[in-house]
Amino acid sequence: MSSSVVLLAIESSCDETSAAVLHNGKILSNIIATQAIHEQFGGVVPELASRAHQQNIIPVVSEALRVANIHKKELNAIAYTQGPGLLGALLVGSSFAKALALGLGLPLLGVHHMQAHILAHFIEEPFPPFPFLCLTVSGGHTQIVLVEDYLKMKIIGETLDDAAGEAFDKAAKMLQLPYPGGPLIDKYAQTGDAQKFKFNKPEIPQLNFSFSGLKTSILYFLQDQTRKNEHFIKENLADICASIQQTIVDVLLQKLKKAADMYKISHIALAGGVAANSGLRKGLETLAVQKQWHTYIPDFQYCTDNAAMIAIAAYYQYQQKQFVELTQQPLPRWEM
Ligand code: KG4
Ligand code: ZN
């Protein structure tokens, strides 16, 4: 490996267009353009995401290079999110990365989006020591991962249906809150009574999760209550949000506890957009005191989708010379 490595990384798997520049493991810039277009549809519309990526990608990459004060001729490799994600969205980032790599005569690094969420822990210290467990909770995924080394990870539990972020967003939609509703549930929950309403908690074997039953339970509960009082949601919003949040957090932490006991690991990390949830953070803190865990949560900008995490993952792949060919296709359903 050469002594100095400068990488440009591009993330375009869902509804954030992002570019980052890294120098020797240090992030010099991390530019993120969030696509507001999806708000009015209550969820990400894949075709609109692709179009927005096409509009955003050149300005986002230019800005990342400008902020980093790096000229494209100083780059050593180009990294991009190879999957998993929306095919059309991935295609924009991968085509752009390939064209740039070809034009500049640089090697190409295809990064796994979920591995990158976990490797975001190596952007800023303290770094978790190996092995550690990572609960990755985002709009698309819910996984407990055994992380043995930078590029050696094993999923030991995952959702059988909806992701945790999706459960938050779908519950928010039922409460007529705009997309993405996860952060709003968190906000209203702050002043609510989490014990006020009870929802069915799924009983799923091993370390797996399921959130579709909870969604149905919330829906029936709201239908039932609004039949009796049409202002029920408005009058009880904080308590409903707090109760929903508590239920989701309990489910996540119960499995995390089980995993830590099973694998006898006390270094526990959170990753993904739902790691921003204050109920989850508080719950993890309390559990950590009880169980004597060391916990790790990346800075918020590195929890939600961003290219800095793609850059840091690419940095480790670069050291292992794990390059991809220009013929490599995006992999929307890439297994970890
Ligand atoms: O990791 P991320 O940015 O994108 C995916 O890869 O999916 O995660 C986005 C998800 C959304 O479902 C959003 O509602 C949720 O993270 N989220 C939250 C909070 N902040 C973001 N959910 C609950 N509480 C929050 N504070
Ligand atoms: Zn993500």
Coordinates of all heavy atoms in Angstrom, one line a residue, residues 11 13-14 16 84 113-114 117 136-141 272-273 303-306 309, ligand 2:
E11 N -22.3 7.5 -2.3 CA -23.4 6.7 -1.7 C -24.7 7.2 -2.5 O -25.0 8.4 -2.5 CB -23.6 7.0 -0.2 CG -24.9 6.8 0.4 CD -25.5 5.4 0.3 OE1 -24.7 4.4 0.3 OE2 -26.7 5.2 0.3
S13 N -27.7 4.6 -2.5 CA -28.5 3.4 -2.4 C -30.0 3.7 -2.2 O -30.8 2.8 -2.6 CB -28.0 2.5 -1.3 OG -28.2 3.1 -0.1
C14 N -30.4 4.8 -1.6 CA -31.8 5.0 -1.3 C -32.1 6.5 -1.7 O -32.2 6.9 -2.8 CB -32.1 4.7 0.1 SG -33.8 4.6 0.5
E16 N -30.6 9.4 -0.3 CA -29.6 10.4 0.0 C -28.5 10.3 -1.0 O -28.0 9.2 -1.3 CB -29.0 10.2 1.4 CG -29.5 11.1 2.5 CD -30.6 10.4 3.3 OE1 -30.6 9.2 3.4 OE2 -31.5 11.1 3.8
P84 N -26.6 -3.4 -0.7 CA -28.0 -3.5 -1.3 C -28.6 -2.1 -1.3 O -28.1 -1.2 -0.7 CB -28.7 -4.4 -0.3 CG -27.9 -4.2 1.0 CD -26.5 -3.8 0.7
H113 N -23.3 -1.6 1.6 CA -23.9 -0.5 2.3 C -24.1 -0.9 3.8 O -23.8 0.0 4.7 CB -25.3 -0.2 1.7 CG -26.0 0.9 2.4 ND1 -25.9 2.2 2.1 CD2 -26.9 0.9 3.4 CE1 -26.7 3.0 2.8 NE2 -27.3 2.2 3.7
M114 N -24.4 -2.1 4.1 CA -24.7 -2.5 5.5 C -23.3 -2.7 6.3 O -23.3 -2.4 7.5 CB -25.5 -3.8 5.6 CG -26.9 -3.7 5.0 SD -27.8 -2.2 5.5 CE -28.0 -2.5 7.3
H117 N -22.3 0.8 7.2 CA -23.0 1.4 8.4 C -22.2 1.0 9.6 O -22.1 1.8 10.6 CB -24.4 0.8 8.5 CG -25.5 1.7 7.9 ND1 -25.7 3.0 8.3 CD2 -26.4 1.5 6.9 CE1 -26.7 3.5 7.6 NE2 -27.1 2.6 6.7
T136 N -27.7 -2.9 13.8 CA -27.9 -2.0 12.7 C -29.4 -1.8 12.5 O -30.1 -2.8 12.1 CB -27.2 -2.5 11.5 OG1 -25.9 -2.9 11.8 CG2 -27.1 -1.3 10.4
V137 N -29.9 -0.6 12.7 CA -31.3 -0.3 12.6 C -31.5 0.9 11.7 O -31.2 2.0 12.1 CB -32.0 -0.1 14.0 CG1 -32.4 -1.4 14.6 CG2 -31.0 0.6 15.0
S138 N -32.1 0.6 10.5 CA -32.3 1.7 9.6 C -33.7 1.6 9.0 O -34.5 0.7 9.4 CB -31.3 1.6 8.5 OG -31.5 0.5 7.6
G139 N -34.0 2.4 8.0 CA -35.3 2.3 7.3 C -35.5 1.0 6.5 O -36.6 0.6 6.3
G140 N -34.3 0.4 6.1 CA -34.4 -0.8 5.3 C -34.0 -2.0 6.0 O -34.3 -3.1 5.5
H141 N -33.3 -1.9 7.1 CA -32.7 -3.1 7.7 C -32.8 -3.1 9.3 O -32.7 -2.1 9.9 CB -31.2 -3.2 7.3 CG -31.0 -3.4 5.9 ND1 -31.0 -4.6 5.3 CD2 -30.9 -2.5 4.9 CE1 -30.8 -4.5 4.0 NE2 -30.8 -3.2 3.7
G272 N -27.0 2.9 11.9 CA -28.2 3.1 11.1 C -29.0 4.3 11.7 O -28.8 4.7 12.8
G273 N -29.9 4.8 10.9 CA -30.7 6.0 11.2 C -31.4 5.9 12.5 O -31.5 6.9 13.2
C303 N -24.6 8.1 11.2 CA -25.6 7.0 11.5 C -26.6 6.9 10.3 O -26.9 5.8 9.8 CB -26.4 7.3 12.7 SG -25.6 6.9 14.3
T304 N -27.1 8.0 9.8 CA -28.0 8.0 8.7 C -27.1 7.9 7.4 O -25.9 7.9 7.5 CB -28.8 9.3 8.6 OG1 -27.9 10.4 8.7 CG2 -29.8 9.4 9.8
D305 N -27.8 7.6 6.3 CA -27.0 7.3 5.1 C -26.0 8.4 4.7 O -26.4 9.6 4.7 CB -28.0 7.0 3.9 CG -28.6 5.7 4.1 OD1 -28.2 4.9 5.0 OD2 -29.5 5.4 3.3
N306 N -24.8 8.1 4.5 CA -23.8 9.1 4.2 C -22.6 8.4 3.5 O -22.5 7.2 3.5 CB -23.3 9.7 5.5 CG -22.5 8.7 6.3 OD1 -21.3 8.5 6.2 ND2 -23.2 7.9 7.2
M309 N -19.1 6.8 5.5 CA -19.1 5.4 5.9 C -18.6 4.5 4.8 O -18.0 3.5 4.9 CB -20.4 4.9 6.5 CG -21.5 4.9 5.6 SD -23.1 4.4 6.4 CE -24.1 3.9 5.0
Ligands
ZN2 ZN -28.6 2.9 5.2

